[in-house]
Amino acid sequence: MEPLAALKKYFGYDAFRDHQQQIIETVLGGHDAFVLMPTGSGKSICYQIPAIVEKGVGIVISPLIALMEDQVRGLQANGVRAAFVNSTLSSGEAARIQQGASRGTVDLLYVAPERLLTRDFQHFLSQIDIALFAIDEAHCVSQWGHDFRPEYLRINEVTRRFAHVPRLALTATADEITRRDILQRLALEHAKVFISSFDRPNIRYRLQPKQRDRYQLRHFIESEHPRDPGIVYVRTRKRAEAIAAFLDDSGIPALAYHAGLPADQRMGHQRRFQRNEIRIIVATIAFGMGIDKPDVRFVAHLDLPSSMEAYYQETGRAGRDGKPADAWMLYSLADGIALRRLFEQSQGTEEFKRVLRKKLESLLAFCETVACRRQVLLAYFGERYPDPCGNCDNCLDPPATRDGTIEAQKALSCVYRTGQRFGAGHLINVLMGKATDSVRRWKHDRIKTFGVGKDLSKAAWDSVYRQLLFRGYLREIPDGHGGFGLSPEGMAFLKNRETIRFRCDPVGREQSRETGARQTPQAPNATLADADLLEALKRYRTKVAGENGVPPYVIFHDRTLIEMAAVKPKTMAQLGGIHGIGEAKLRRYGKDIIAIISESQARLA
Ligand code: ADP
Ligand code: ZN
């Protein structure tokens, strides 16, 4: 079968996207490929189609057991012969699947890296025809990525023994240095490299200083996403529990998700979210690697993520269906200090630390920038985005800035005169002329900067220190007490009498005011759809999903239903032309859908 015919037959799509065709041709030509494309851009098709059309089994190495099953079920619902083997199966079940694969009844076999490395599995591999190896989430092989998994380093030991089998490594996240690392560690130096734009035009990026985080979050959800599914990221397990409970108490159904929960409970929460039974998940970073829910309307970060890659990856879970979605984040001085501390305490070579420091600085600078967020974000991944995007907070509502030279001079010289060892709390007391015990003990009520900052509030000084830290004028003293020293830039600022402008932090409720009109790039036109018919189709989808025990979007994406409700196909052939309807779905659900459509038309007549 031709690749395009298989795309239509199994997935119901009419055309390949951007690079998909070239990547598929590369693999079918027997060559290795490295694919760097953003989440939601359609990477899976790049190995699924070759595995379907080629003789033999496509082996897909994927790190997350919890998601394998959903992926495989989704494929099976499309009539693709897919299966998985992982530790959730009994050895009997696994053996049965592997036997089936040897007899040629499987086109795609998903496997966790641990399993791939077992002798048993390698023996199995040596007895079958392998169409290709797909290495999903390939950044897991690099310690520069944010999901380093040691087993990934050993994938080569296995694939090396099948030198004639093409390999396809895929990831949605990798800056320059991680990219080089992946190619080297997976021995893909000769692979053809495909990189597509990382832009996610439907995601609106917005950041705000953290004040009373849970109230800011609640206001954001209530005013902008009162009914939408969303993910809230926090740094610790305890916070995940507390924030979920707070939302729940506020009448916003939410569940926590973190590595401290028993595996079955965690899985249960994830499934309930995937199936729209629970609206909001409050998670630590453990949640969502590769999560495949297309209609997440917002991702809120209540704490800073660990890096720009993590930020991009996590916000990337929003709006995979292409419709408008929000990436909303709060940040604070305390967050910056916590991250800096982690960094200072990290072990490793000077080179390692240098890379880490640069990554951290990029993230903090991103928070305070007054430039287009999208431009800054994409620049981090080496991509130039020519004009301001018009779909981020800084574009929609350009932040006011003010001259902060005098304040910066006061704040930095206070650091200097107190001996470069105190944290923001103490420094602010000195600036504001508060003779606390500690201030008196250190005789800081007698230095020149004591009381020179009485004109500003504590919050204002907090903002000054935050901006100085985030912009690299201060550095954390690595003694674990959160004290500041001056960075070379901070020193130069004082010496050379430079000037500086600060962002004016928004105050009170103002900060969550809705900004500008929403843009809906490439969203299917819902207004053309017949609303009653759409509802009827959704009810049908819910019913079928329930019967099959899968999330609704595995049956049909929203976009497919909307298109049906707009086009109102009357024949099976017309229905087959709808986006997202392949042969299997046409066969299974076609008659029912046509009946629903003609019923709704009859009601109108
Ligand atoms: P990724 O793995 O890159 O995050 P997926 O492979 O999950 O993305 O694809 C995202 C969505 O786009 C899926 O719903 C998929 O079916 C859809 N998709 C992929 N390729 C095409 C195509 N050529 N035409 C239409 N939809 C596509
Ligand atoms: Zn912008």
Side-chain angles (χ1 to χ4, degrees):
M1 200 190 310
E2 286 299 311
L4 190 60
L7 182 73
K8 182 71 190 152
K9 176 177 157 105
Y10 292 103
F11 298 93
Y13 301 143
D14 292 324
F16 285 111
R17 285 183 186 156
D18 265 2
H19 287 324
Q20 283 175 334
Q21 174 113 28
Q22 288 165 283
I23 296 166
I24 289 167
E25 278 166 10
T26 303
V27 176
L28 290 178
H31 303 290
D32 296 341
F34 173 63
V35 173
L36 181 57
M37 302 197 326
T39 304
S41 58
K43 284 187 293 303
S44 341
I45 295 276
C46 299
Y47 57 80
Q48 287 163 351
I49 294 286
I52 290 169
V53 303
E54 273 282 304
K55 197 161 145 290
V57 186
I59 304 291
V60 185
I61 302 153
S62 170
L64 229 77
I65 289 175
L67 293 170
M68 241 181 230
E69 194 183 330
D70 272 352
Q71 279 167 357
V72 166
R73 281 190 183 225
L75 285 166
Q76 288 171 345
N78 280 330
V80 178
R81 304 189 306 169
F84 64 87
V85 279
N86 63 33
S87 53
T88 65
L89 299 185
S90 71
S91 57
E93 283 170 318
R96 204 163 329 117
I97 287 169
Q98 289 179 199
Q99 272 158 21
S102 343
R103 282 199 309 272
T105 62
V106 173
D107 284 323
L108 272 159
L109 187 63
Y110 284 70
V111 58
E114 301 79 13
R115 165 71 60 149
L116 177 81
L117 296 171
T118 61
R119 284 180 98 183
D120 172 59
F121 197 83
Q122 295 187 37
H123 177 71
F124 157 71
L125 286 180
S126 66
Q127 309 213 304
I128 60 167
D129 256 343
I130 308 175
L132 59 91
F133 285 109
I135 304 162
D136 210 1
E137 313 285 357
H139 60 277
C140 291
V141 79
S142 168
Q143 58 174 333
W144 305 125
H146 52 90
D147 282 317
F148 177 54
R149 285 172 183 245
E151 316 87 62
Y152 260 63
L153 287 172
R154 299 183 50 207
I155 290 176
N156 258 355
E157 294 172 21
V158 179
T159 56
R160 202 169 44 206
R161 303 187 10 225
F162 305 91
H164 59 287
V165 177
R167 292 175 302 149
L168 184 57
L170 312 102
T171 175
T173 162
D175 58 344
E176 187 71 42
I177 179 162
T178 314
R179 194 179 310 163
R180 280 200 303 264
D181 208 27
I182 295 173
L183 292 177
Q184 194 218 328
R185 287 175 192 278
L186 291 175
L188 283 172
E189 284 93 348
H190 300 292
K192 219 165 153 189
V193 174
F194 297 90
I195 299 177
S196 58
S197 170
F198 267 53
D199 185 25
R200 298 285 310 280
N202 58 317
I203 298 184
R204 176 176 291 181
Y205 300 97
R206 288 152 64 195
L207 283 76
Q208 294 172 3
K210 193 189 298 192
Q211 282 145 354
R212 301 171 71 210
D213 53 5
R214 47 184 71 190
Y215 299 99
Q216 285 172 285
L217 174 68
R218 186 172 72 187
H219 183 247
F220 165 71
I221 294 175
E222 282 175 346
S223 59
E224 300 187 35
H225 296 283
R227 273 177 289 279
D228 300 328
I231 304 173
V232 179
Y233 282 107
V234 294
R235 269 198 98 74
T236 65
R237 298 171 185 186
K238 230 169 94 185
R239 246 164 95 65
E241 297 283 349
I243 299 293
F246 170 79
L247 290 177
D248 221 54
D249 287 345
S250 308
I252 301 170
L255 285 174
Y257 183 102
H258 56 73
L261 294 174
D264 53 337
Q265 193 179 355
R266 204 164 67 220
M267 206 107 116
H269 288 188
Q270 170 160 337
R271 285 199 186 286
R272 287 177 65 189
F273 179 64
Q274 293 240 11
R275 290 173 189 167
N276 282 340
E277 294 162 11
I278 187 86
R279 192 153 77 78
I280 289 168
I281 281 280
V282 185
T284 57
I285 49 168
F287 183 70
M289 195 159 97
I291 189 181
D292 196 13
K293 185 171 164 59
D295 58 348
V296 174
R297 292 271 70 84
F298 69 89
V299 167
H301 281 91
L302 237 48
D303 302 315
L304 284 183
S306 54
S307 65
M308 289 290 269
E309 285 91 333
Y311 175 74
Y312 183 83
Q313 177 92 347
E314 285 158 19
T315 54
R317 320 228 184 278
R320 290 182 61 162
D321 54 9
K323 294 190 212 158
D326 278 305
W328 183 89
M329 179 155 83
L330 298 180
Y331 63 99
S332 69
L333 176 62
D335 281 352
I337 291 174
L339 276 184
R340 288 224 164 224
R341 188 168 305 163
L342 272 184
F343 156 70
E344 297 291 356
Q345 288 167 356
S346 67
Q347 311 282 318
T349 60
E350 275 312 302
E351 160 74 1
F352 182 78
K353 288 196 159 192
R354 199 179 55 76
V355 173
L356 272 192
R357 183 182 304 125
K358 243 187 95 218
K359 285 178 173 252
L360 177 60
E361 280 165 2
S362 306
L363 175 71
L364 300 185
F366 175 70
C367 295
E368 296 291 1
T369 187
V370 292
C372 168
R373 305 272 188 202
R374 195 175 308 274
Q375 284 181 326
V376 176
L377 184 60
L378 293 177
Y380 180 79
F381 293 104
E383 188 177 333
R384 215 177 81 78
Y385 191 88
D387 295 310
C389 74
N391 195 25
C392 72
D393 52 0
N394 289 350
C395 282
L396 290 165
D397 196 8
T401 62
R402 62 189 159 85
D403 180 44
T405 308
I406 305 276
E407 292 148 42
Q409 281 169 355
K410 288 178 180 172
L412 292 176
S413 60
C414 188
V415 172
Y416 188 74
R417 285 173 191 279
T418 52
Q420 309 201 51
R421 55 191 299 185
F422 292 92
H426 184 89
L427 296 168
I428 293 175
N429 283 337
V430 174
L431 283 169
M432 296 181 71
K434 292 192 179 150
T436 62
D437 288 350
S438 159
V439 168
R440 275 204 301 272
R441 185 161 68 247
W442 292 97
K443 304 197 171 40
H444 290 159
D445 48 349
R446 301 196 202 150
I447 61 175
K448 234 175 118 184
T449 42
F450 183 75
V452 295
K454 281 185 181 149
D455 51 328
L456 291 188
S457 67
K458 179 173 179 316
W461 282 117
D462 207 73
S463 166
V464 168
Y465 276 114
R466 189 194 75 224
Q467 302 204 37
L468 289 171
L469 178 73
F470 280 36
R471 293 213 213 161
Y473 287 83
L474 291 170
R475 63 190 174 82
E476 178 89 352
I477 304 286
D479 64 357
H481 297 301
F484 293 139
L486 298 183
S487 68
E489 291 78 12
M491 215 47 142
F493 174 85
L494 278 184
K495 263 221 313 271
N496 308 337
R497 306 187 166 274
E498 293 168 14
T499 59
I500 188 171
R501 292 194 73 78
F502 285 138
R503 263 183 97 100
C504 302
D505 287 353
V507 278
R509 289 177 83 80
E510 266 295 88
Q511 52 192 276
S512 38
R513 136 180 74 114
E514 175 61 10
T515 42
R518 287 211 163 262
Q519 299 177 329
T520 43
Q522 302 138 31
N525 193 341
T527 54
L528 287 178
D530 177 329
D532 291 334
L533 176 54
L534 184 58
E535 275 315 304
L537 291 169
K538 282 191 174 167
R539 276 197 301 277
Y540 174 70
R541 175 176 68 174
T542 308
K543 184 182 94 157
V544 176
E547 286 163 4
N548 289 285
V550 294
Y553 61 81
V554 168
I555 307 295
F556 296 117
H557 280 250
D558 280 358
R559 168 158 179 203
T560 302
L561 294 189
I562 291 171
E563 208 173 301
M564 283 182 208
V567 177
K568 306 188 184 75
K570 291 186 186 62
T571 64
M572 293 289 265
Q574 286 170 355
L575 185 59
I578 298 279
H579 178 93
I581 306 250
E583 281 179 13
K585 286 190 175 160
L586 192 61
R587 203 167 50 238
R588 264 175 230 164
Y589 313 119
K591 284 217 182 79
D592 289 349
I593 288 169
I594 300 232
I596 295 171
I597 293 172
S598 67
E599 224 171 84
S600 92
Q601 295 311 98
R603 254 200 322 273
L604 284 181

